[in-house]
Amino acid sequence: MSSAFKMNKIGIVIGVLILLLVVSIIFTIQNKPFTKIRKKAHQPKEYTSKGDNAKCLKCHTVSRYEINNPDDSTTVLLKRMPARCIIDTNRYYTSNHWDFKCTDCHSDAYSKVPHDSKLKYAQINTCLDCHAEDAKYAKFHFENIDTAFRKSMHFKNDTVNFNCWSCHNAHYNKTSMRDSLQDIKITVATDNAMCMKCHDTSTSNDYYEFYSKGKAKANIYEKHQWLPMLENHLLNVRCIDCHAAMDPKTLVAHTIQPKSLSVRACADCHSPNSILIKSLYKNRPQAGSRFGFLNPQTLQEQDIIGSNRNYYLDLIFLFVLGFAGFVILIHIIFRIIKKA
Amino acid sequence: MSTKRIYLYPKWLRLWHIINALLCLTLIFTGLSMQFSSKETILLNFFTSVRIHDITGISLAVNYLLFFIGNLATANKRHYRIPAKGFTGNIIKQLKYYLSGMFKGKKAPFPTTEEQKFNPVQQITYKTVMYFMVPVMVITGGLMFFHSVIPYRIYNINGPLFVDVVHLCGAFIITLFLLIHLYFATIGHTPTAHFKSIINGYHELDEEEK
């Protein structure tokens, strides 16, 4: 009894030890980056716009708004607000344009209700109207982004309607990737949602069709079936990481290329010099290796086979295999000499 | 000279063994191709490696069931039963034989019999590999195949990374085992004797063993 029992116990102990070793290696490299240090937000933001906006938001936050009954001044009519016109104030007041009055972008004439239907077609300022040639926003390189955008498939296909607002949500636009402490999966989700507004999995979508001029819409999932674990990939990489030509001057690549030029080779990402380091992770501190793991900055939240191999582990494996080979060689030599 | 032969490896076992061997080699090769993936790779490209690795991995898991059930159902399991007494001592005896005894022309301390085809060293390694390492590989491999079932965090640890590294260490141990296994297979009464017997099922007894 005892001996067999002991052997099994030794096996279990060795197994547990190996497991512990693995855990501790990973734990060491993981633990530090997980505790992120963020500066305390300074003063709570002082809003100057909320008073004015309340006039618009009393209607634009509810699904049924009240409007004076033109036939009977003692009653009000309850009408339905189209879902597309309902504003999420939480997101609005935390966006990049957090302290904007509605009328900074929309015509003052909107204060009249019901709105004049011609207002719909009023031109709204583009990003560059406000942001161009402004030293305060120099780090964003708006001019370069504009040039890049003009080379994209979208702009080439529809120079009239397709503009920055087509992707950047007018009311909730918020930079994500620039925040190097942001969870990478949140950045991916935020950025992909911008594309999915048009390129969703349906075969028909109002947004898309407005720009495509009747051209049939492709189902995104069908077109990417060649990519295994599609859902997992789309939670971990951005559409633009494969579809946009990288531009060294800007943080976010804006030139959507023709589909024939999109990234298709797995090794573009699944290799030590992964393109993700220069795209998705461009704003993260570059790190060659940490405890032997290549591209460790991706390890906090992702595990990319081929890109995250461990140098020391490889070395240990090679050494042990080499040693075993050496012992075997000696053994062979002895066998030949002794003719055993 | 008439050699005595004993029938040691039933058909199902040989079938399992050869399939297992081929699948293992494929898995090691495609696994290496993924681990050392790069754009100018001399190994298989990543896409093909993933596809083949998936298919062979699933096949190996199914094949493992054949082994597991076969061992449950037939008498073959007796070879894996570790004796109650003196096992550690026996292992040392066997190791001594490999390291010096065999060169001095001594007899193998645990000759192959119908009752026990494995010597103690084989017993302990085969048992560990087949009942611990392979299940670990099948489980971690399965987890990676159904990627979304891996918790995103296991406590403070990146779940997929953890599974990945365990799978990698397991793959290494099995590769090491395979190397040694192949070499030990040449220590028969002729270097090719064991290879022949795992194909035709019969073990030829050495002069001394008779």
Side-chain angles (χ1 to χ4, degrees):
Chain A
M1 167 80 225
S2 64
S3 176
F5 193 63
K6 238 197 302 189
M7 282 321 288
N8 283 344
K9 259 206 305 214
I10 292 173
I12 291 170
V13 168
I14 292 176
V16 169
L17 279 180
I18 293 178
L19 218 66
L20 277 178
L21 185 75
V22 171
V23 172
S24 53
I25 293 176
I26 301 178
F27 201 80
T28 346
I29 63 143
Q30 291 279 307
N31 209 21
K32 263 198 182 149
F34 271 176
T35 324
K36 293 175 174 172
I37 303 169
R38 191 190 284 282
K39 281 207 186 109
K40 279 187 187 155
H42 11 260
Q43 305 303 308
K45 288 182 171 175
E46 297 261 349
Y47 290 92
T48 57
S49 58
K50 283 192 170 172
D52 286 302
N53 288 351
K55 290 180 215 142
C56 313
L57 291 175
K58 74 169 196 254
C59 290
H60 281 284
T61 49
V62 292
S63 53
R64 281 184 195 283
Y65 65 96
E66 291 178 4
I67 190 164
N68 289 331
N69 187 345
D71 305 328
D72 175 4
S73 59
T74 62
T75 56
V76 289
L77 301 175
L78 270 180
K79 288 198 176 180
R80 225 188 152 77
M81 179 65 83
R84 66 183 173 89
C85 292
I86 297 174
I87 308 266
D88 177 343
T89 51
N90 277 337
R91 291 178 69 197
Y92 182 88
Y93 284 121
T94 52
S95 70
N96 285 333
H97 300 127
W98 55 278
D99 195 25
F100 271 44
K101 285 187 278 195
C102 309
T103 47
D104 285 340
C105 294
H106 295 291
S107 159
D108 284 327
Y110 270 110
S111 39
K112 198 170 124 313
V113 279
H115 308 311
D116 182 349
S117 60
K118 278 199 224 77
L119 290 174
K120 230 184 223 184
Y121 305 103
Q123 198 68 42
I124 296 181
N125 283 340
T126 69
C127 317
L128 265 82
D129 289 338
C130 299
H131 286 290
E133 314 293 338
D134 188 337
K136 212 175 136 197
Y137 309 109
K139 66 177 177 199
F140 292 99
H141 300 282
F142 275 88
E143 295 79 5
N144 292 327
I145 291 181
D146 188 51
T147 324
F149 167 68
R150 280 166 198 282
K151 285 189 250 159
S152 75
M153 285 303 287
H154 290 132
F155 185 72
K156 284 184 186 159
N157 280 319
D158 184 349
T159 48
V160 181
N161 295 311
F162 213 108
N163 59 26
C164 315
W165 296 119
S166 307
C167 287
H168 287 276
N169 188 303
H171 307 116
Y172 317 129
N173 180 31
K174 188 168 168 58
T175 48
S176 171
M177 177 194 169
R178 181 163 286 275
D179 179 358
S180 61
L181 300 177
Q182 178 69 278
D183 285 352
I184 216 75
K185 300 211 190 214
I186 292 181
T187 296
V188 170
T190 313
D191 291 9
N192 284 1
M194 286 163 88
C195 312
M196 296 295 262
K197 182 170 79 172
C198 292
H199 294 288
D200 61 4
T201 53
S202 68
T203 45
S204 128
N205 168 322
D206 288 345
Y207 279 114
Y208 183 87
E209 273 146 24
F210 176 71
Y211 298 95
S212 69
K213 307 186 191 100
K215 242 193 257 174
K217 178 175 174 301
N219 177 333
I220 275 297
Y221 278 21
E222 274 166 23
K223 288 292 173 189
H224 294 84
Q225 276 307 320
W226 51 271
L227 186 61
M229 306 182 172
L230 179 55
E231 259 142 82
N232 187 50
H233 271 109
L234 292 186
L235 293 174
N236 283 289
V237 290
R238 299 176 305 170
C239 316
I240 51 174
D241 294 327
C242 288
H243 283 294
M246 273 184 268
D247 177 356
K249 291 197 209 81
T250 61
L251 192 59
V252 180
H254 271 78
T255 310
I256 306 294
Q257 294 185 294
K259 60 185 171 199
S260 56
L261 293 179
S262 325
V263 169
R264 191 169 197 151
C266 318
D268 280 354
C269 296
H270 290 279
S271 65
N273 46 355
S274 170
I275 56 167
L276 293 176
I277 303 302
K278 294 187 220 87
S279 51
L280 181 57
Y281 285 93
K282 192 170 182 174
N283 204 32
R284 310 277 160 140
Q286 302 274 323
S289 88
R290 187 178 156 92
F291 297 99
F293 279 95
L294 304 181
N295 299 321
Q297 64 268 53
T298 68
L299 279 183
Q300 291 170 36
E301 292 176 72
Q302 295 185 327
D303 167 44
I304 313 171
I305 292 180
S307 164
N308 292 138
R309 56 173 221 253
N310 187 299
Y311 178 73
Y312 296 125
L313 225 49
D314 288 347
L315 220 62
I316 293 172
F317 291 172
L318 202 70
F319 177 77
V320 174
L321 276 179
F323 183 72
F326 178 71
V327 170
I328 288 175
L329 197 74
I330 302 275
H331 206 255
I332 292 177
I333 293 173
F334 266 90
R335 274 169 75 189
I336 294 172
I337 296 173
K338 298 271 182 180
K339 297 202 171 57
Chain B
M1 182 179 96
S2 70
T3 42
K4 198 181 158 216
R5 304 161 90 211
I6 49 175
Y7 188 60
L8 271 189
Y9 310 105
K11 216 172 235 155
W12 70 266
L13 192 74
R14 281 179 278 148
L15 188 71
W16 162 76
H17 185 268
I18 188 73
I19 295 177
N20 198 47
L22 294 176
L23 290 177
C24 264
L25 288 172
T26 320
L27 283 167
I28 290 172
F29 179 64
T30 49
L32 278 173
S33 302
M34 288 188 281
Q35 165 84 340
F36 295 98
S37 157
S38 86
K39 268 165 264 181
E40 0 358 78
T41 185
I42 49 164
L43 301 163
L44 215 53
N45 77 53
F46 194 85
F47 183 76
T48 327
S49 316
V50 169
R51 281 286 148 88
I52 298 180
H53 201 83
D54 284 353
I55 296 167
T56 40
I58 293 166
S59 314
L60 185 120
V62 173
N63 197 35
Y64 181 75
L65 276 184
L66 176 68
F67 168 84
F68 195 78
I69 294 169
N71 255 2
L72 272 187
T74 72
N76 192 54
K77 59 174 163 291
R78 70 182 182 279
H79 301 296
Y80 290 85
R81 216 167 274 143
I82 286 175
K85 278 222 166 72
F87 193 67
T88 325
N90 289 352
I91 287 184
I92 293 167
K93 235 191 245 171
Q94 179 67 26
L95 284 178
K96 270 193 187 143
Y97 168 71
Y98 282 138
L99 286 179
S100 75
M102 62 180 280
F103 300 119
K104 295 178 185 152
K106 282 197 184 143
K107 278 190 192 173
F110 303 94
T112 310
T113 66
E114 246 159 307
E115 296 322 305
Q116 184 44 268
K117 62 182 175 187
F118 300 145
N119 67 47
V121 171
Q122 287 173 321
Q123 255 195 331
I124 188 72
T125 47
Y126 294 0
K127 200 168 175 176
T128 317
V129 167
M130 288 318 297
Y131 289 105
F132 183 68
M133 290 322 300
V134 174
V136 164
M137 295 306 279
V138 169
I139 290 167
T140 51
L143 283 173
M144 285 206 266
F145 186 70
F146 300 102
H147 203 272
S148 53
V149 300
I150 306 176
Y152 168 47
R153 286 252 185 293
I154 303 173
Y155 293 98
N156 209 7
I157 297 173
N158 177 337
L161 178 68
F162 176 71
V163 176
D164 187 348
V165 176
V166 173
H167 196 73
L168 199 69
C169 293
F172 166 70
I173 290 170
I174 289 183
T175 310
L176 185 67
F177 164 77
L178 187 71
L179 178 75
I180 296 169
H181 183 58
L182 275 173
Y183 177 64
F184 274 28
T186 68
I187 312 185
H189 71 274
T190 69
T192 52
H194 286 332
F195 292 97
K196 279 185 196 142
S197 39
I198 195 65
I199 291 167
N200 64 27
Y202 287 93
H203 178 77
E204 294 183 8
L205 294 185
D206 292 357
E207 292 301 311
E208 315 94 67
E209 278 175 330
K210 269 185 273 176

